[in-house]
Amino acid sequence: MMNFPTQTKRDWLLYWMLLGIVMGIFCGWQFGEQMRHVEFLGVMFMNALKAVVIPLIMVLMILGVARLGDVRKLGPIGTYTILYYIATTSIAVLLGLFVTNLLQPGTGVDLTGAGQAPKIVQDIQASHFTLMDTLTGMIPANIIASMATMDVLPIIVVSLVFGAALTTLDQRENLLLPLLESLNQALMVIVGWIMLFAPIGVFALVASVLGAEGGGDQVWGQLYKIGKYVLAVLLGLGIHGFLILPLLLWLLAKRNPRVYGGNMLNALTTAFSTASSAASLPLSIECVTEKNKVSRQTATFVLPIGATINMDGTALYEAAAALFIAQAYGIDLTATQQGVIFLTATLASIGAAAIPHAGLFTMILVLNAVGLPLEGISLIFPVDWFLDRCRTTVNIWGDSVGAAVVERFAPPVELDEIK
Ligand code: ASP
């Protein structure tokens, strides 16, 4: 039977993926527009990951609950997971506020052209996103529609409920569970196959996005124009990703951050190239369970939920961006208003879908809450393709650290045998 590549092969895969990113940056920078011709390869790679992610989440979560035998056994894992999410998201938002207050990247920014909103900003203005939408949307009226739009949160809720329902049936006569087990194994094999294509996929994604932005000179111009803002966000993400999360991993989970992080590189490079937590999920599950040896029970609970609601990078970015816009428009925010940003940035990161640019859409919530101009989004939009990749990488890293931390505090419970 064909299975995952072996350890050595996987290491090679990682080197090829890293090379893919480096080559992608080089070619996109150098050849600009021409690199749009390779975009279809990246789209195919991303489509393949998206195609497996929804069935994978459903199968894993249904099995996870069904194998526990009783949904109440999820109590401790659930509690520690939520605590971890809240704590790390709060730290991330505070960091975002701190670096932006410190560096003041928005002060003196040239506002010419800020009102001429690109299409995506007009869409955002028209979307009227509210947190109520996320809340009501958690119970889907049409699960097929949620699957089709990759709306992960309702799918998780339905899978948990379905798994719980299965536990009430007579296990000896339950034909579904062995079927789901086989389905799960087959899906993971497919993920392994897709990953063989990953080096080309990440190359194409990175090269074409740089190409679409007009290549090196244009990109440099964009980054330079609001360079201080880019730097502030990167600094915040860097502190969170390289300092805070490793520290938590070391102190709380007693894991070696270098080893654990090294084992996550496949998932992290995928996150950087796809800018989608959902598309990276199959990889993060594989890296966390196969390489970092976190139990499947913990990983399949913490990671899918984390991919949709625990977005440290996005939370940090939302706070930093809102403050940046305020500074650019010369609006002085009081401590209370910054408190409101803290709350809404946290909620906006929870509400953001695990797809590219989603954080930009939920930003509306933060800006509206403190009365900042939505046109400000057009200031930060030109560099969002880049910052999106960086924050998605931190999002995935935060979830995988969470899996190890939660496992330490809520060790896996004994599973019911599936007959
Ligand atoms: N692209 C991010 C993710 O999938 C969400 C965001 O736009 O911040 O995690």
Side-chain angles (χ1 to χ4, degrees), residues 85 88-90 92-93 237 240 275-278 304-318 345-346 348-355 358-359 362 388 391-392 394-396 398-399:
Y85 290 165
T88 50
T89 306
S90 308
V93 179
L237 291 176
H240 196 70
S276 165
S277 293
I305 303 182
T308 50
I309 66 174
N310 179 49
M311 296 190 177
D312 294 0
T314 302
L316 188 150
Y317 156 86
E318 304 257 359
T346 306
S349 74
I350 294 173
I355 53 172
T362 57
D388 193 7
R391 63 182 188 254
T392 308
V394 173
N395 290 346
I396 287 290
D399 295 338

Side-chain angles (χ1 to χ4, degrees), residues 89-345:
T89 306
S90 308
I91 296 173
V93 179
L94 284 178
L95 249 172
L97 290 175
F98 175 73
V99 286
T100 324
N101 273 313
L102 189 77
L103 297 182
Q104 296 281 322
T107 315
V109 161
D110 178 13
L111 285 179
T112 340
Q116 290 150 21
K119 167 103 177 49
I120 192 164
V121 180
Q122 289 165 14
D123 290 347
I124 293 172
Q125 285 170 328
S127 72
H128 299 298
F129 168 81
T130 66
L131 205 70
M132 237 351 147
D133 298 337
T134 310
L135 198 69
T136 50
M138 274 172 65
I139 312 288
N142 182 346
I143 184 69
I144 306 292
S146 304
M147 290 164 78
T149 51
M150 288 197 57
D151 201 357
V152 180
L153 211 50
I155 291 170
I156 290 177
V157 174
V158 168
S159 307
L160 290 177
V161 172
F162 194 77
L166 282 186
T167 62
T168 65
L169 307 182
D170 183 348
Q171 297 302 311
R172 279 159 310 189
E173 286 173 20
N174 196 333
L175 300 176
L176 204 53
L177 292 179
L179 195 78
L180 288 174
E181 280 287 352
S182 302
L183 199 57
N184 174 31
Q185 284 165 12
L187 284 169
M188 289 311 272
V189 171
I190 295 174
V191 173
W193 289 344
I194 296 172
M195 285 321 286
L196 297 176
F197 186 67
I200 298 173
V202 297
F203 163 78
L205 283 169
V206 174
S208 61
V209 77
L210 266 172
E213 295 300 324
D217 292 340
Q218 293 281 342
V219 167
W220 189 242
Q222 289 169 358
L223 293 180
Y224 187 74
K225 204 169 160 208
I226 47 172
K228 223 171 155 189
Y229 160 71
V230 175
L231 261 181
V233 176
L234 288 184
L235 181 68
L237 291 176
I239 297 176
H240 196 70
F242 287 106
L243 211 72
I244 308 278
L245 290 173
L247 210 62
L248 292 177
L249 188 63
W250 182 57
L251 289 176
L252 300 178
K254 307 279 183 240
R255 296 278 199 139
N256 179 334
R258 267 226 335 247
V259 176
Y260 196 91
N263 285 338
M264 288 307 301
L265 280 177
N266 271 348
L268 298 178
T269 39
T270 309
F272 183 82
S273 10
T274 59
S276 165
S277 293
S280 317
L281 192 57
L283 263 297
S284 56
I285 291 174
E286 200 248 342
C287 291
V288 165
T289 53
E290 304 272 317
K291 292 186 170 186
N292 278 323
K293 307 288 175 216
V294 172
S295 73
R296 218 173 66 151
Q297 199 184 95
T298 310
T300 55
F301 184 79
V302 177
L303 297 177
I305 303 182
T308 50
I309 66 174
N310 179 49
M311 296 190 177
D312 294 0
T314 302
L316 188 150
Y317 156 86
E318 304 257 359
L323 219 59
F324 167 77
I325 290 173
Q327 290 165 358
Y329 282 85
I331 301 168
D332 236 345
L333 294 176
T334 60
T336 319
Q337 282 173 311
Q338 296 215 17
V340 174
I341 291 190
F342 172 82
L343 270 182
T344 48

Side-chain angles (χ1 to χ4, degrees), residues 74-78 80-81 295 297-298 405-413:
L74 277 180
I77 302 187
Y80 283 107
T81 304
S295 73
Q297 199 184 95
T298 310
V405 171
V406 170
E407 174 149 272
R408 177 99 203 292
F409 286 89
V413 291

Side-chain angles (χ1 to χ4, degrees), residues 377-392:
I377 295 179
S378 48
L379 277 179
I380 54 174
F381 177 70
V383 291
D384 197 63
W385 63 272
F386 174 64
L387 292 181
D388 193 7
R389 275 144 219 279
C390 303
R391 63 182 188 254
T392 308

